[in-house]
Amino acid sequence: MLKMDLEYSKGIFFIRLNGELTRKNSYKINNYIIPVIKKHHLKNVIINLNELNEIDDAGINALLNTKCMVKCNKGKLYLCGLKKEFELKLKHLHLKTKTSEGEIIDLIGV
């Protein structure tokens, strides 16, 4: 099961994932989140993986699709709360990662 907490504040779209991002529920990102990013031309997106318990290849592809849509909007996608066991799986995405949302907000400068 995947729960998503979405928030838009000060030009930053926050996506907080809780549960498992797997083949069963990666459609939630592909069918709901990505169209929102496209429709509203969101440029700064932070995905918080702190409460994520599992991720598989379909989940990684959903994150990659999100990255591509943000890049189409000439923006950047950031990850935070990345657990050690997911670092190797997500390394090839070449995303900026920080330990907390606050660090990313400071990096963006909003």
Side-chain angles (χ1 to χ4, degrees), residues 18-106:
N18 186 341
E20 300 173 352
L21 183 56
T22 59
R23 181 170 308 285
K24 286 182 182 179
N25 50 33
S26 61
Y27 73 90
K28 290 181 179 182
I29 290 180
N30 292 325
N31 295 343
Y32 303 123
I33 301 297
I34 292 175
V36 167
I37 292 170
K38 182 178 182 178
K39 180 180 178 182
H40 299 287
H41 303 287
L42 301 175
K43 294 183 179 184
N44 293 314
V45 178
I46 298 175
I47 300 179
N48 189 330
L49 304 175
N50 200 32
E51 299 295 322
L52 197 67
N53 301 325
E54 183 181 337
I55 188 167
D56 67 3
D57 289 341
I60 292 169
N61 285 334
L63 293 178
L64 184 60
N65 292 340
T66 306
K67 176 186 175 185
C68 291
M69 182 51 60
V70 172
K71 282 187 95 171
C72 286
N73 292 339
K74 297 181 181 165
K76 293 196 178 188
L77 176 68
Y78 303 90
L79 296 180
C80 69
L82 187 61
K83 295 179 182 177
K84 294 277 186 201
E85 58 263 26
F86 300 147
E87 284 181 9
L88 285 176
K89 288 183 177 182
L90 300 176
K91 187 176 182 178
H92 72 281
L93 295 180
H94 302 290
L95 293 172
K96 293 187 180 195
T97 61
K98 296 289 181 184
T99 56
S100 70
E101 291 177 359
E103 287 184 34
I104 297 171
I105 292 170
D106 291 341

